[in-house]
Amino acid sequence: MSRDDPLYEDGNLVQFYDLENGWGPDFDFCAGLAAGARSVLDLGCGTGELAAKLAETCEVVGVDPAAAMLAVARARPGGDRVEWLEGDARDLRLDRRFDLILLTGHAFQVFLTPEDQLAALRTIALHLNPRGRFIFDSRNPAVEEWREWVPEESREEITHPKLGAVEAWNDVAYDPATGIATYETHYRVVSTGQHFSATSQIRFTPKDELEALISEAGLHVTQWYGDWQGGPCTADSKELIPLGGLVQLA
Ligand SMILES: C[S@@+](CC[C@H](N)C(=O)[O-])C[C@H]1O[C@@H](n2cnc3c(N)ncnc32)[C@H](O)[C@@H]1O
């Protein structure tokens, strides 16, 4: 399980998160869904850019097990409007329900077994209002995106506001038996040679397996998207994005 992943737990690595992951079409899409919602639960909220924005118009709870990610979230402009909780999406029990529950940035892929995935989906079911909606993204294994996470294809230079030029790259090993990609993330400060790295794991799950787990958790999908622009989910779409709610009992 990816708890204790230095990529999210170690401040030396977390300082690069927002440089590489900023506001994009996923956050735009979720902001559209949140319009009209009175309450949002952001599971695996990370550094909290989306949660802080949504909290301008509704009540937002952001949950993440990584204290270092939450420290960035708390300190960001608008961070004081969000209720940040250090917690695990698999066993979170707040005794509260929400109009919208999100996992963005492929946070769902940190769950490495069907049991952990089901536990997270059950948490969603237990925290959704009767007419509430959930959405998350998981990369489509058919596209084999992990093949790009090798040094030759991933190497880039980014600029850190304090450290200056930083060389960044990944490396990866993929296990087709489990769908788990074990990947390395590297940052090397060009001026000093200082090197930070982490080894992390995420799971790629086929759509039919995701669909079965979602329904086992008492949820149903009203629409599958294949990207965050709202495109259809096809066999070769990059993303598997289910939008749904609680199974309505007749
Ligand atoms: C790729 S980041 C995504 C962060 C954010 N949602 C975004 O869109 O930028 C994945 C996040 O999942 C969190 N995470 C890891 N294990 C988790 C768990 N068991 N429950 C909830 N979040 C978890 C990590 O700490 C990390 O902040």
Side-chain angles (χ1 to χ4, degrees):
M1 178 60 209
S2 63
R3 281 203 75 155
D4 309 322
D5 181 343
L7 196 54
Y8 308 124
E9 300 278 357
D10 179 349
N12 284 323
L13 288 141
V14 167
Q15 66 179 325
F16 297 104
Y17 188 85
D18 283 348
L19 294 178
E20 296 218 272
N21 305 276
W23 191 276
D26 50 349
F27 288 3
D28 276 334
F29 195 100
C30 291
L33 284 180
R38 285 158 306 157
S39 55
V40 175
L41 176 60
D42 186 352
L43 293 173
C45 62
T47 57
E49 185 176 7
L50 177 61
K53 178 69 186 166
L54 300 186
E56 287 176 7
T57 55
C58 67
E59 178 191 313
V60 180
V61 176
V63 176
D64 203 286
M69 295 291 269
L70 287 178
V72 176
R74 284 195 178 93
R76 75 167 53 255
D80 54 339
R81 286 189 292 255
V82 178
E83 185 179 343
W84 306 107
L85 297 176
E86 201 173 310
D88 186 319
R90 293 170 301 170
D91 57 16
L92 181 81
R93 297 293 180 265
L94 296 180
D95 199 22
R96 281 162 77 178
R97 291 186 178 264
F98 296 82
D99 288 345
L100 180 64
I101 301 184
L102 317 161
L103 288 94
T104 58
H106 307 105
F108 186 80
Q109 290 188 250
V110 305
F111 306 112
L112 301 180
T113 62
E115 293 74 26
D116 282 345
Q117 292 174 321
L118 184 58
L121 292 166
R122 287 205 164 114
T123 296
I124 293 176
L126 284 167
H127 291 83
L128 263 189
N129 276 325
R131 300 173 72 83
R133 294 188 290 179
F134 74 87
I135 193 160
F136 64 84
D137 53 359
S138 192
R139 298 175 185 86
N140 184 358
V143 177
E144 302 189 337
E145 194 182 315
W146 61 83
R147 290 188 186 281
E148 297 167 16
W149 302 344
V150 289
E152 316 80 72
E153 297 212 28
S154 61
R155 202 177 295 277
E156 59 171 345
E157 194 168 287
I158 58 177
T159 306
H160 185 283
K162 292 192 183 127
L163 301 173
V166 175
E167 198 187 354
W169 72 97
N170 299 104
D171 208 349
V172 71
Y174 180 70
D175 176 7
T178 58
I180 293 175
T182 302
Y183 67 99
E184 295 170 16
T185 305
H186 296 269
Y187 298 104
R188 196 183 66 84
V189 181
V190 172
S191 60
T192 62
Q194 203 176 10
H195 185 182
F196 308 109
S197 67
T199 301
S200 315
Q201 290 191 304
I202 53 172
R203 180 162 195 241
F204 287 75
T205 312
K207 182 174 175 234
D208 56 343
E209 275 183 45
L210 275 182
E211 198 145 30
L213 288 164
I214 288 169
S215 112
E216 198 177 338
L219 299 166
H220 83 115
V221 178
T222 47
Q223 178 90 47
W224 282 94
Y225 295 104
D227 58 50
W228 282 109
Q229 279 80 22
C233 188
T234 62
D236 56 3
S237 57
K238 211 172 163 203
E239 306 280 353
L240 304 174
I241 304 176
L243 170 65
L246 287 170
V247 170
Q248 302 293 338
L249 299 174

